[in-house]
Amino acid sequence: LPTVLHNANSVHADVREGAVSLFVFAPATVGSRLTEHLHKVMPVILRGIADDSDPVRDASMRAGQAIVNEFGVSSLKLLLPCLEEGLFDSNWRIRQSSVQLMGDLLLRLAGVDEPAAPAHGNTTATAADDADTD
């Protein structure tokens, strides 16, 4: 784990992406043994979400989602402080991703597997908007 965390801070984007990508699969493969390291892993993932490289950001978001999906219920006390801290970060990408991961966490706690898709395209239209077009 120390080597992976070190590589997540590499100057080379492909090394950072590779290191963070391990955390996409680690929750399912390592299981509960990863929970004792979440306080080290989550800040690395949140920093990756703010990376200059698109592939690193994508891998970091997938890793965050994998961790929330696997440990959201069982390790809420470990995940919640990390996500709360991200909500107040100075980087907008970290704030936005923390909100998205927090939403995923809330859905997981509610027992919802996937967010419901809108019935039709425009999600901002209301019944009042539809009535105005008559």
Side-chain angles (χ1 to χ4, degrees), residues 88-134:
F88 299 101
D89 196 276
S90 60
N91 187 297
W92 71 269
R93 284 187 175 125
I94 293 176
R95 289 193 308 270
Q96 178 185 26
S97 299
S98 294
V99 167
Q100 185 173 350
L101 290 172
M102 187 76 76
D104 292 346
L105 178 61
L106 290 172
L107 288 173
R108 183 80 173 139
L109 291 171
V112 178
D113 290 335
E114 294 289 327
H120 42 74
N122 188 356
T123 58
T124 59
T126 64
D129 293 335
D130 293 339
D132 290 339
T133 59
D134 290 341

Side-chain angles (χ1 to χ4, degrees), residues 1 26-38 41 70-71 75:
L1 184 65
T29 56
V30 178
S32 62
R33 291 178 289 176
L34 186 61
T35 57
E36 64 191 59
H37 303 288
L38 286 178
V41 172
E70 186 70 27
F71 303 118
S75 299

Side-chain angles (χ1 to χ4, degrees), residues 53-78:
S53 169
D54 284 336
V56 175
R57 285 196 304 267
D58 293 342
S60 297
M61 190 62 188
R62 287 193 322 271
Q65 290 170 328
I67 288 172
V68 165
N69 286 336
E70 186 70 27
F71 303 118
V73 175
S74 64
S75 299
L76 181 63
K77 291 182 181 183
L78 296 171

Side-chain angles (χ1 to χ4, degrees), residues 17-58:
E17 178 188 3
V20 172
S21 292
L22 288 174
F23 294 116
V24 173
F25 305 103
T29 56
V30 178
S32 62
R33 291 178 289 176
L34 186 61
T35 57
E36 64 191 59
H37 303 288
L38 286 178
H39 68 282
K40 298 176 196 170
V41 172
M42 285 306 292
V44 169
I45 290 172
L46 290 175
R47 276 195 311 273
I49 290 170
D51 200 277
D52 292 335
S53 169
D54 284 336
V56 175
R57 285 196 304 267
D58 293 342

